[in-house]
Structure formats: structure tokens, C-alpha cells
Amino acid sequence: MIVRAECGQLCLTEQTEHARMAAELVGWWGGVCAPVEPADAVKLAVALHDAGWAEVDASPQVNPDTGRPYSFLDIPQDVHVAAHTRTVRRARQADPYAGLLTSLHSAGLYRNRYGHLPHIAQRPVAPQWREAVDRFLAEQDAVQEELTAALRPDPAVLWTHYRWFQLWDMLSLYSCMFSPGDTPDTLLCTVPRAPGGADITFYLQGSDAGFSVDPWPFTEDRIVLRWAARILPDRPYRSDAELQDAYARASVVQQEIVLHPR
């Protein structure tokens, strides 16, 4: 679950909605970077990269430290790795290359994103979840070894897709998490322009007009992202049952954000 607190309310976005939006960005990719090839498998990986969260978000739980819903940032890590295990399994069943990319993405959350996003701190693994995380990473190593042997992807292409994936993921996440008017100039990430090509660094800045992305990496002049969220009062919830009842009763409200060049 993605949780944004604003004006006495909690705006809750399910991970699958965020992933759907991130996949839409793949379809508009271009601009200063090379086209995505193979586009269908990469777009499918991005669309499914949080598929395993569906069960978690259907029954949100209360963080006892805050009384608010857990978000993907603070949920217990045994739940986190179980969700990503389901995600990789579903992506792999849909397409082998999508499974490989999704496994790299999921495991990378516990491996400092392989050094490609050094400005984003990795969440430490709590001692009680170390065994679960280590087991998850060993499973993903095996998945990646098997799929790499079967697919024999060009490493430069695979890692370019992985790094582009991080940018699409961040743009969609930040659209759900942040209010544009409160967002200063923010480093997104550095990615290759093309497989084997020079790197280029992207920044995000909020304003009353939405979010500017600099440089502009899309083929459209502007992009409107729309997604469904539920709005709950920003107050303590005494139990999972109370939160889940409030969530089930909450109105589904369409959210919208504009991405545009600086």
C-alpha cells in the first residue's frame, strides 16, 4: 500500500494501481532515450512488478507504532518478501523475460539496487526477518540463474532495462506519494540513454502545474496519470478489523497528476 497523509486524510493507493501506471510510462518512453525493445516483455514486467501485493492490499493492517496503515515502506519484511515472491512467480508465468526483470527488481530492493541508486537508502533488515530475507534472495538468485541460462540476454540490454525500470517505478511512486506543491527539485536516477550508451540523470520538480521531469524522456508533450485511491480519515485505528472495515467503506476517488517538461 502507498500511503499519503494530507489535510487530515490518508490517501491509500494499492500497489497494483501504481504498477499499472508505471507500465503506461513504458508505452510513452522515447525522447532523449532509445526505444524499449522488446517492448511487450518489458512493459509486462513493469505492469506485474507488484502483482504479489494484491492480497496484502486487499486486507490492510495497522502499524501498532503509529495506529495508521502499514505502507510498503514500513510493513514487516516477512510480508514484504512473501509479496515479492508471489510477484516474481506471476511475472515468470506470464513471460520469462518479464520474470527475469521482475526478479532483478525485487531482489535489488535488498541489494542497494546494485549500486544504481546510491542516493536512496536501503531499509535495514530487522534481525527477526533476516532468515526470511536471506531465503528470498537465495530463491531469486536461483530464478535469475535459470532464466539467464535459458534466455541468454545481452547484459547491456538487460541492465539498461533494469535501470529504466527504476525510473518508471519512481515516477509512478512519487506521483502517488507526494503532493507536487510540496516537492522540491529531486534527483530521480541516472540511466543509460541506450544499451551501452552514455548515462543521463533525471530530476523531478513539483509545481502547481504538476511534476516536471528534466530532461524529458517521453514521446508525448505532456502525460496525465490517473489512478484510483481510497480516502480515509487520518486517525489511529485500534485494530486490523477496524481499519479493514473503514477501507471497505471508503469512497474510491480518482486521482490525477500531470507530468511535463521543465
Side-chain angles (χ1 to χ4, degrees):
M1 190 73 74
I2 300 166
V3 181
R4 186 179 79 234
E6 189 174 54
C7 300
Q9 296 180 320
L10 297 175
C11 180
L12 305 184
T13 301
E14 296 186 3
Q15 297 287 121
T16 52
E17 271 290 271
H18 140 67
R20 177 190 59 76
M21 284 201 302
E24 289 180 355
L25 296 175
V26 182
W28 292 309
W29 185 251
V32 295
C33 291
V36 182
E37 296 176 1
D40 289 346
V42 174
K43 187 173 184 178
L44 184 60
V46 178
L48 294 176
H49 82 270
D50 281 332
W53 286 92
E55 293 87 339
V56 180
D57 289 350
S59 300
Q61 296 182 321
V62 175
N63 182 335
D65 294 332
T66 65
R68 270 66 174 179
Y70 277 118
S71 80
F72 74 100
L73 295 171
D74 60 5
I75 200 162
Q77 286 161 315
D78 62 333
V79 178
H80 190 271
V81 295
H84 280 284
T85 298
R86 290 191 296 270
T87 288
V88 174
R89 182 172 66 246
R90 290 167 186 172
R92 184 179 182 180
Q93 289 169 347
D95 180 89
Y97 191 72
L100 176 57
L101 262 183
T102 304
S103 178
L104 286 171
H105 173 76
S106 295
L109 301 175
Y110 287 97
R111 287 178 166 154
N112 288 307
R113 295 175 175 84
Y114 312 104
H116 293 302
L117 278 75
H119 59 292
I120 297 181
Q122 178 174 295
R123 180 184 173 190
V125 177
Q128 66 268 35
W129 308 129
R130 170 51 65 188
E131 183 178 351
V133 171
D134 287 347
R135 183 168 59 249
F136 166 73
L137 291 174
E139 291 168 354
Q140 297 314 306
D141 286 344
V143 167
Q144 292 163 29
E145 182 178 355
E146 180 180 343
L147 290 175
T148 299
L151 298 171
R152 298 186 179 277
D154 181 332
V157 173
L158 176 64
W159 285 102
T160 295
H161 289 163
Y162 169 82
R163 292 171 68 184
W164 288 352
F165 191 155
Q166 305 318 296
L167 180 60
W168 301 322
D169 184 37
M170 293 172 73
L171 283 171
S172 176
L173 271 177
Y174 287 3
S175 295
C176 297
M177 291 172 65
F178 301 142
S179 299
D182 299 329
T183 304
D185 201 9
T186 301
L187 171 63
L188 290 168
C189 58
T190 298
V191 304
R193 290 179 181 267
D199 283 353
I200 185 169
T201 301
F202 290 90
Y203 294 86
L204 183 79
Q205 187 171 42
S207 71
D208 292 340
F211 286 120
S212 70
V213 183
D214 185 50
W216 184 243
F218 301 110
T219 55
E220 300 294 315
D221 292 338
R222 67 195 289 271
I223 290 171
V224 181
L225 295 177
R226 298 182 177 91
W227 71 98
R230 293 179 189 256
I231 308 299
L232 275 66
D234 186 0
R235 63 168 179 83
Y237 292 85
R238 294 170 294 180
S239 66
D240 293 344
E242 181 184 358
L243 171 61
Q244 290 164 15
D245 181 67
Y247 187 72
R249 295 172 181 270
S251 299
V252 177
V253 178
Q254 292 298 309
Q255 308 289 304
E256 181 177 299
I257 195 73
V258 176
L259 303 181
H260 61 87
R262 183 168 296 181

